[in-house]
Structures are given as structure tokens and as C-alpha cells.
Amino acid sequence: MLKEHLLTPGPTQIPLRVLQAMSQPQIHHRTKDFEKIFRATLDGFKWLVESDNDPVFLACTGTGAMEAALLNSCDPGDKVIVINAGKFGERWSKIAARLGLKTVEITAAAGESPTLEQIEKAVRANADAKALCVQYCETSTAVMHPVPTIGAALQKTAPDMLYIVDAVSALGTLSISMKKDHIDILVAGSQKGLMLPPGLAMLTLSERAWQRAEKVKSRSFYFDLLSERKAHRQDTTAWTPAISIILGLHESLQLFREEGLENVFARHRTVAKAVRSAMEALGLTLLGASFPSPGVTAAFVPAGMDADKLRSALLAASGVRIAGGQDELQGKIIRVGHMGYVDTTEIIGALGALELGLKLCGHVVTLGSGVAAALEVIGHKK
Ligand code: PLP
């Protein structure tokens, strides 16, 4: 028997209670029963992201929500500033281009986040831009951009510019406050820290983002957030919702409440730190070490080793499934996802398996050294 341990930065593991909530016979969405759960789930999500406004739930993935964010905040020809420090930052630019927007990119090398000065300079030079788009966690490089700091700076430098934050791989791993972080549009997806299957996306808009949505020319039938807002106000959706995943989200929000959000975030911080310590103890160089994310850790494999071969060896020998790099990072890095339903015990096992995998691939490892470093962190909750 080989038990699979899914430790990718999405999709992620789903707790049994969430699976059970999703596995009941299908209920119809045009019923009071569904509307009651839908309302409770909208309220739960408001609590999670600290917003007074209802979110909008769409039956699509995170990319759809990114597109919906731009469609409902910008007209063709409008300018947007994009922080592009990896695959998902690049996605903002690709979507913007497809929608006929002008894009100004603030770039950073893989594993880096642009400086605040760089961002402020770009914002000042492009004061006519309608929005600044960023990832909270750039999943491709495991970098966490300083969203609250950027939000505060933007508020001062360009108070009319909307702040659009892709929190697909951040939500549920750290504290996010629409209000305190000055976020205007928050984009999220189900298959990461929310511990659900893919297929449900969420957007929360600030008051002024809704005002903008009311003004822009409607260009999409499905991604018209105003029609969804109208339906959500009646505790329902404009079109058929992802009913089962909404039932699952209702349950995962309940799990968050029971654990306590601060404990959820502390668990992520501890696990992330344990993984970083272990990788360093094993002689791996971390990618994005200066901007560590609580939900995913990336590291270069030793010179001469193929990261994808290491991943295959790890999966075959221990059932641990981790992710690799994309584009120029392919074959060079491994990414361990530790967002959502992951605990310290599971991560210790996975790190032990990684040590064996490295050894199998020819790296000189003192077995137990990575695990020992992780245990030091976990034992002391450093
Ligand atoms: N944004 C970030 C930061 C992500 O990590 C992902 C998925 O990995 C997405 C957007 C896109 O989500 P999806 O693949 O669900 O469309």
C-alpha cells in the first residue's frame, strides 16, 4: 500500500468533514434550504476577509475571478499596473491584454518582490492607471508580496486607484483584512487554503470598487458581478452555483471558526518555518527566502539534480506528491504546498520522505537532519 500525501500548492487536501458535507444528495439551489446555507456561507466569508460587503461566488476557478475583477473595474483602453514576479503576476498582464487594457508592469526576478520605492515610483508615473494588481502569494515562486504595506502606500500615493489582490493561494493561510489592508477587490479560489475541490471562485469588492463596477461598460454576460450581486442579495445566484462546493465551503468556514483563525494562521506559520528550516539543513537553497509564504515553500534542488526526477522518486517511494517549477524554473525547483489541511505531524513525515528522496537521487544527506531542524521549530514554536 502506498498512501498518497498531497502536498502541492493546490489542489490541496480536503478534511473528512468537508468531504462529508459535499457528499450529501444534491439539493436544489432554488430552495429555502440552499438559500439558508448560501447566506450563512456569504456571512462566513465576510468574516474571513473582514469585509462589510457580501462576496460574489462564481462557478469557475481563480483565473475566472481574476478576469471578472478586471472586467468589472476597467474599460477597454484603461491602464492597469501589474506586479509581475512570476507566472500569476504574468497572468494579470495576459488577461489585461486580452481585455484591451494597457498594462504597466513592475517586474521582479524569480523569488523577489519589488521594493516599495519601485512600486511608488511606478504608481506616481502612472497616476492615470485605474488599478494596481498583485498576488498576495506568487505561488510559482513561493513569494509573499507585502500586500498591507503596498495597500497603505497606494492609499497615500494614489487614493483613486483600485487595489486588486489575488489571494487565491493566500486566503486561509494568513490574516487578510479588506478594510485594514485597503483592498478594493479580493480574488480567491476554492482549491487551496480553503480546503475544497477546484471550481468555486470568490470576489469581494469594496464600496468604491462596486461604484466603479456600476460605471464600467458591461462586457461579459457570465462575469457581470452586478447581476450576481443582485441575486446574492436574495440569498441566491444568477446562474446554477457550484452547489456541492458551497456546502463544502460552509463546512470549512465552520472548521476555521472551531480552530480559531489565529490558530489556523499560527499553524501555517509554524509549518512553513519548519519546512524552510528543514530544507536549509538539507543543504537546499530556498527560493524567495526573503519573502516567505505561509502556504508554500520553494527550493532549488542540488546542482546536477533534476527536480522533476526527485519529485517522481519521492512519489514512487513515499507517496508524497509535491510540485515543481514552471518555465525557466522547471527541473530546478521543488515546491512544497502546506496550505489548508496540513499539520505538523504530516509535514515531519513528508520531510523525512524528502530526505530519502534526495538520497535516492544521489545527494549526500545526513538522514534525520532536515527532520531534526523541523522538529526544533515545531517543538519550540519558534
Ligand atoms: N492565482 C494564484 C496565486 C494561483 O496560485 C492560482 C492557481 O494556482 C491562480 C491564480 C489560478 O487559479 P486557477 O488555476 O484555479 O484558475
Side-chain angles (χ1 to χ4, degrees), residues 61-63 66 88 91 135 137 139 166 168-169 191-192:
T61 67
T63 306
M66 291 170 77
F88 294 102
R91 192 165 303 176
Q135 268 61 42
C137 170
T139 325
D166 165 2
V168 169
S169 60
Q191 79 275 23
K192 313 252 174 185

Side-chain angles (χ1 to χ4, degrees), residues 58-60 63-65 67-68 71-72 220-227 239:
L58 297 172
C60 65
T63 306
E67 181 161 355
L71 272 167
N72 287 269
S220 169
F221 187 75
Y222 186 75
F223 288 131
D224 179 356
L225 296 183
L226 295 175
S227 62
W239 323 117

Side-chain angles (χ1 to χ4, degrees), residues 170-237:
L171 190 61
T173 71
L174 48 72
S175 166
I176 296 182
S177 169
M178 288 285 294
K179 285 187 234 164
K180 286 192 215 119
D181 302 340
H182 306 287
I183 299 171
D184 289 299
I185 306 183
L186 185 88
V187 171
S190 49
Q191 79 275 23
K192 313 252 174 185
L194 297 176
M195 311 178 286
L196 297 161
L200 181 70
M202 310 91 186
L203 292 117
T204 300
L205 277 70
S206 68
E207 230 26 74
R208 64 196 198 124
W210 277 118
Q211 284 162 15
R212 177 79 65 78
E214 284 159 11
K215 284 198 202 101
V216 297
K217 196 166 170 293
S218 175
R219 285 187 290 147
S220 169
F221 187 75
Y222 186 75
F223 288 131
D224 179 356
L225 296 183
L226 295 175
S227 62
E228 280 299 348
R229 178 173 67 168
K230 196 168 158 213
H232 282 34
R233 281 179 174 159
Q234 317 287 316
D235 300 339
T236 190
T237 50

